[in-house]
Amino acid sequence: MFVIMSGRVKVVIFGESGREVTLSLLRSGDSFGEMSLFDQAPRSAHCLAIEPTTLLVLSREDLLRHMQTHARTAMNLLGEMARRLRRADETIAQLALCDVNERLIHRLVGLAREEGASGPDGLVVRRRPTQQELANMIGSCRETISRAFNQLARDGLIIPRGRSLVVTPALIERAEKKKAA
């Protein structure tokens, strides 16, 4: 199991054609690799550092020994795995039930909530993902994301600013209404 001490890591799967789907973005304090420690099956995804990253590595034996004497660690790991399973369920539902525009809106709002800082116009995501990265996150292609992204910008729901992106309260409200419906 790996714990990110500093840096960022993306969790991806690759299709036979080489197409990449980003499952999640992890940052300092997050962990990965625990599923294989428990079921001893091969890794289900690839983890790629997207900036200089320092990791703490825990062997299966060390983690199991620690969990035997620290039940709280086991409960925390189970809680994290449950959260990831819920996110996976949400992603599956979005892929099956939502069009690309809705998936893009949900992902942008999710990024703003996870990484955004409050600004006068909304939540500011300091490192705006590229359109290809967004496409990889929501299971689409760059061209489709480009059209949808540009329309959101024209509608004033997002504000690209250099390398950053402002997600407006109007977009967040729109996403919440869709989710409640």
Side-chain angles (χ1 to χ4, degrees):
M1 180 173 126
F2 302 89
V3 179
I4 302 170
M5 303 307 291
S6 65
R8 293 183 348 138
V9 171
K10 70 177 176 177
V11 182
V12 298
I13 55 175
F14 296 102
E16 288 182 24
S17 66
R19 184 170 170 204
E20 176 183 311
V21 176
T22 302
L23 301 177
S24 62
L25 297 172
L26 305 175
R27 55 191 152 283
S28 183
D30 291 335
S31 62
F32 60 92
E34 60 281 344
M35 281 184 5
S36 291
L37 288 183
F38 292 121
D39 67 7
Q40 296 184 354
R43 306 256 184 225
S44 61
H46 298 275
C47 296
L48 306 169
I50 56 176
E51 62 186 47
T53 301
T54 303
L55 300 173
L56 170 70
V57 181
L58 292 168
S59 70
R60 180 176 196 274
E61 296 75 28
D62 288 340
L63 181 63
L64 293 177
R65 188 174 28 253
H66 178 80
M67 288 190 318
Q68 286 175 345
T69 58
H70 298 89
R72 193 82 211 128
T73 299
M75 293 304 296
N76 289 342
L77 273 174
L78 286 171
E80 179 59 26
M81 291 176 78
R83 282 186 290 282
R84 290 181 185 177
L85 182 56
R86 286 183 193 281
R87 279 195 304 270
D89 288 346
E90 186 176 301
T91 298
I92 292 167
Q94 284 183 5
L95 286 169
L97 303 172
C98 298
D99 65 20
V100 171
N101 292 336
E102 290 177 81
R103 294 196 318 259
L104 178 59
I105 289 169
H106 285 291
R107 184 67 280 199
L108 290 173
V109 169
L111 284 170
R113 287 187 171 143
E114 293 162 15
E115 300 181 15
S118 291
D121 298 321
L123 294 174
V124 180
V125 177
R126 302 245 180 262
R127 188 203 157 280
R128 178 175 78 191
T130 66
Q131 290 178 358
Q132 185 61 58
E133 288 169 334
L134 288 169
N136 293 347
M137 289 178 200
I138 67 166
S140 186
C141 65
R142 192 203 55 76
E143 295 80 8
T144 302
I145 294 306
S146 178
R147 285 190 296 274
F149 187 91
N150 290 334
Q151 186 61 53
L152 290 172
R154 282 191 299 274
D155 292 344
L157 297 170
I158 59 174
I159 306 166
R161 287 197 180 137
R163 298 277 304 135
S164 65
L165 175 72
V166 178
V167 176
T168 66
L171 186 67
I172 294 168
E173 183 179 323
R174 181 170 162 180
E176 288 171 354
K177 282 183 184 176
K178 288 272 188 185
K179 198 173 189 178

